[in-house]
Amino acid sequence: MKKYLLLFLLGAFYGLNAQDIENIAQEKPFVFSGAFTLYGSNYHVDGITPRRKDFSWYLTGNPNFRIYGIDIPFTFTVSEQERSFRQPFNQFSVTPSYKWVKLHLGYTNITWSPFTWAGQTALGAGIELNPGKFRFGFLYGRLNRAVEEDVTSIEPVTPAFKRTGYSARIGYGTETSHVDLIFLKGHDHLSSLDSIPKETVVLPMENAVFGISTKLKLTETLFWDVDVAGSVVTRDTRSEQFSGDDPGFTESFSSILNVNTSSNFYTALQTEFGYAGKYVKVKVKYKRIEPDYQSMGAYYFQTDVENITLEPSFNLFKSTLRINSSIGQQRDNLLDQKSFTSKRLIGNINVDWTAGTVFGINALYSNYSSDQSRGLKIPNEQLKQTYVSQNAMLSPRLTFIKEKMSHMHILIANRQWMEDRNRNTAAQTEYQVDNLNYTGSLIFNQSALTLTGSYLLTVFDASLNSNRLNGFSLGANKSFFQNKLNSGVSASYTMHELNSDPFADILNITSQHNYNLTSHHGLTLLFNFLSNKGKIPSSESFTEYNIDLGYTYTF
């Protein structure tokens, strides 16, 4: 019993999230809240193999203990198929602060710059000091735990070495305008595994990253942000050392980490310069990340990429006309190591016009083109990948707000198409998708009745086949008994054609009713019916329904 009480108190302590110590005495000492839900479901199907059990039930709960402002949430699920209990504080964290001092204890997750420490979770301790405009920080912790190889496990287990690391930051400025210098060092512990994995290739790595992160507010309307980093990665600390006549690469970094024949140096840079006026905003962005760039303080990078983007936007005529646009060029093969170089041109523009309180319209166009050029090899013209993908959308809307009744109407017309500029592959890759969707709703303000209707047409055309979906739906929602009961019902009917021939007709009816008995007790009734009538032998015909009844207790 003492053991569980100790774990509970630890959970309470570590659940503290950015709690200011100065205000903790003002919190209530103990608050218990949450909800429990019990659901039962009846299911039946004719015509196909059942996709679930005839009857199922489950009980869920999310009680929360609050001790002096510290939340300790729990979740559990009990059903005929599952028994689970989850206490989110398997990863404990506490971040107390006092004036310009902030501590990070337990499992921490912070971001100092996109190329150094960027969201990697670490089990350890850290501190951030911000006296005035000075910015200091230090963090140390375990990044990965050791995982032994298990070839007998039914589910695959990826072995891993224990990984630890630390990062330090020193800077000057504010959150909106500052300059930070950041250093990160991480390494895998070779002795953390009882035996070296044989079935899976796992290498003990070491990594050091140097970074500069700046946000500069040049004037009230001009800003310039820069993030640059260099990363030294040793893929295998057991590899052979450099010979004595190797260049200065070893001498430059050997005092920081183990540098050997598996070591490489990579760089990453992104910068953004912009003007943010009242009516016009313009940004110019540049990013360059070398192949295989890595930081043990981040989970993932899109590498071997260089792009430059221009993003102008306009806010005109008292915000009734808004225009957002961007155009950019991207390429890979930065170090000329690939067989081919891919170049992409990406552009889009979005225009939204609100002409008074009744009419408005939104228009969108985007273009994505890609082309292959020479790398280590010359592209084969018969297999060369070169295409243009485009998307155009137009959406007018009408809104009528009256005292007794309001109604809204939205029409969306959309076309997506891809053009392959290689005649040898165009027949297999080109396609066009057209969508037409109308949605209308009527709201009776006094009776709280809402009626909705919609129509959908989708046509997909390609060289191999053509699909057409044509359908409509109707729905109603209303509250009763002073909003204690909320009921909604909807039905949709869709006709599916394949290569201009009828393929299937689909009917779907749903109904949901929520009744609040009191402020703590509620009932829910759900009903869903699905009918699929196949028109050809390869299209299955079946009917399916399920009824769910639920009870919720909130405290």
Side-chain angles (χ1 to χ4, degrees):
M1 184 66 184
K2 293 181 179 179
K3 175 182 177 181
Y4 292 107
L5 179 61
L6 177 60
L7 290 175
F8 177 81
L9 294 176
L10 284 173
F13 174 74
Y14 283 112
L16 184 61
N17 184 14
Q19 174 70 50
D20 196 324
I21 297 176
E22 293 178 296
N23 299 324
I24 195 170
Q26 302 175 9
E27 298 285 347
K28 292 183 179 181
F30 184 81
V31 178
F32 183 53
S33 61
F36 297 98
T37 299
L38 175 63
Y39 259 96
S41 180
N42 183 59
Y43 170 82
H44 181 76
V45 64
D46 290 316
I48 61 173
T49 303
R51 295 186 275 190
R52 49 181 289 190
K53 286 187 175 183
D54 293 341
F55 178 78
S56 60
W57 63 271
Y58 65 89
L59 172 66
T60 65
N62 57 340
N64 181 75
F65 298 91
R66 188 177 181 89
I67 302 176
Y68 286 102
I70 305 168
D71 288 320
I72 310 172
F74 293 79
T75 61
F76 70 86
T77 299
V78 180
S79 70
E80 82 283 356
Q81 296 180 347
E82 179 184 10
R83 305 288 189 274
S84 69
F85 176 85
R86 296 186 297 276
Q87 203 280 90
F89 291 97
N90 289 334
Q91 291 192 351
F92 305 107
S93 66
V94 56
T95 311
S97 63
Y98 181 76
K99 295 184 178 180
W100 46 267
V101 180
K102 180 184 289 187
L103 296 177
H104 300 277
L105 302 173
Y107 284 90
T108 62
N109 186 317
I110 61 175
T111 296
W112 281 345
S113 80
F115 300 131
T116 56
W117 202 290
Q120 171 70 47
T121 299
L123 173 59
I127 185 172
E128 289 184 284
L129 306 174
N130 296 287
K133 291 188 176 182
F134 289 99
R135 297 158 56 88
F136 302 102
F138 182 82
L139 178 66
Y140 174 84
R142 187 193 72 189
L143 308 180
N144 290 331
R145 64 183 180 89
V147 179
E148 296 286 348
E149 184 178 49
D150 186 359
V151 295
T152 64
S153 176
I154 299 177
E155 296 188 5
V157 177
T158 303
F161 293 100
K162 175 184 176 181
R163 176 175 294 178
T164 60
Y166 67 88
S167 182
R169 179 186 71 172
I170 180 172
Y172 183 82
T174 64
E175 284 298 315
T176 59
S177 184
H178 61 258
V179 177
D180 290 340
L181 303 178
I182 304 167
F183 174 75
L184 179 145
K185 170 72 183 300
H187 74 283
D188 293 334
H189 296 256
L190 184 61
S191 61
S192 60
L193 296 181
D194 295 335
S195 60
I196 301 300
K198 298 180 180 179
E199 299 294 330
T200 306
V201 179
V202 180
L203 304 177
M205 299 176 59
E206 197 166 355
N207 177 221
V209 185
F210 311 82
I212 301 176
S213 179
T214 70
K215 289 182 177 293
L216 302 177
K217 191 174 182 181
L218 305 177
T219 67
E220 289 298 320
T221 57
L222 294 177
F223 65 89
W224 184 26
D225 299 342
V226 180
D227 287 286
V228 60
S231 175
V232 185
V233 180
T234 298
R235 302 292 177 185
D236 188 349
T237 56
R238 303 165 300 181
S239 295
E240 296 180 2
Q241 298 296 315
F242 283 110
S243 60
D245 57 351
D246 282 309
F249 184 86
T250 305
E251 299 177 0
S252 300
F253 302 107
S254 60
S255 61
I256 301 173
L257 77 167
N258 180 7
V259 179
N260 56 37
T261 53
S262 71
S263 302
N264 282 285
F265 178 74
Y266 309 98
T267 61
L269 164 68
Q270 70 176 24
T271 182
E272 178 179 329
F273 179 79
Y275 167 82
K278 184 177 181 180
Y279 305 108
V280 179
K281 295 181 180 179
V282 181
K283 294 181 182 179
V284 179
K285 298 181 178 179
Y286 176 78
K287 177 186 286 187
R288 187 182 193 276
I289 306 177
E290 289 186 341
D292 299 321
Y293 178 88
Q294 183 175 349
S295 169
M296 288 187 176
Y299 286 105
Y300 171 78
F301 292 102
Q302 180 187 6
T303 62
D304 193 16
V305 60
E306 180 184 51
N307 61 55
I308 182 169
T309 307
L310 175 65
E311 297 182 358
S313 62
F314 307 89
N315 190 354
L316 307 174
F317 307 118
K318 297 181 180 180
S319 298
T320 60
L321 178 62
R322 298 185 178 185
I323 304 173
N324 295 304
S325 61
S326 69
I327 185 169
Q329 186 171 6
Q330 183 183 98
R331 75 176 182 98
D332 62 3
N333 198 19
L334 303 187
L335 302 182
D336 297 323
Q337 297 174 338
K338 291 183 177 180
S339 298
F340 311 109
T341 300
S342 295
K343 295 181 179 180
R344 303 174 181 89
L345 179 65
I346 306 169
N348 69 78
I349 182 171
N350 186 296
V351 180
D352 189 271
W353 179 40
T354 303
T357 59
V358 176
F359 177 74
I361 188 170
N362 182 265
L364 168 70
Y365 173 77
S366 63
N367 181 294
Y368 181 98
S369 62
S370 180
D371 188 24
Q372 277 187 334
S373 60
R374 180 173 183 171
L376 297 177
K377 300 179 180 179
I378 300 176
N380 186 330
E381 292 298 325
Q382 294 184 346
L383 302 176
K384 183 179 179 181
Q385 296 182 7
T386 172
Y387 61 87
V388 178
S389 177
Q390 301 176 78
N391 179 30
M393 186 272 293
L394 188 67
S395 177
R397 60 186 182 272
L398 293 171
T399 305
F400 300 92
I401 300 177
K402 304 295 182 180
E403 182 179 354
K404 294 183 179 180
M405 182 183 71
S406 301
H407 53 106
M408 291 167 284
H409 309 270
I410 299 176
L411 181 67
I412 301 175
N414 175 251
R415 168 172 288 185
Q416 295 177 311
W417 69 102
M418 200 271 279
E419 176 188 355
D420 192 339
R421 293 176 175 174
N422 188 331
R423 298 179 180 179
N424 300 295
T425 58
Q428 290 77 37
T429 60
E430 289 188 337
Y431 67 87
Q432 179 176 302
V433 182
D434 291 306
N435 289 284
L436 181 66
N437 177 245
Y438 163 77
T439 301
S441 62
L442 298 176
I443 303 173
F444 298 88
N445 300 326
Q446 296 180 351
S447 62
L449 171 64
T450 301
L451 301 177
T452 60
S454 66
Y455 171 76
L456 173 66
L457 174 64
T458 299
V459 180
F460 175 85
D461 287 320
S463 59
L464 299 179
N465 56 62
S466 174
N467 278 276
R468 178 187 176 97
L469 294 175
N470 188 14
F472 62 89
S473 66
L474 297 172
N477 186 276
K478 180 173 171 49
S479 297
F480 303 91
F481 311 125
Q482 297 180 343
N483 296 326
K484 287 187 176 181
L485 173 64
N486 185 274
S487 296
V489 61
S490 65
S492 66
Y493 186 78
T494 305
M495 294 167 284
H496 183 189
E497 294 182 1
L498 178 62
N499 298 324
S500 301
D501 294 324
F503 182 77
D505 291 344
I506 305 167
L507 173 64
N508 192 3
I509 301 174
T510 61
S511 179
Q512 179 172 345
H513 309 273
N514 299 300
Y515 185 72
N516 295 322
L517 298 170
T518 68
S519 59
H520 299 286
H521 304 273
L523 296 175
T524 299
L525 177 64
L526 303 173
F527 172 78
N528 185 76
F529 173 80
L530 177 64
S531 173
N532 188 98
K533 293 185 178 181
K535 300 296 185 178
I536 60 176
S538 62
S539 176
E540 296 178 318
S541 294
F542 65 92
T543 58
E544 181 181 55
Y545 77 83
N546 63 276
I547 302 173
D548 298 339
L549 179 62
Y551 164 76
T552 299
Y553 174 65
T554 305
F555 54 95

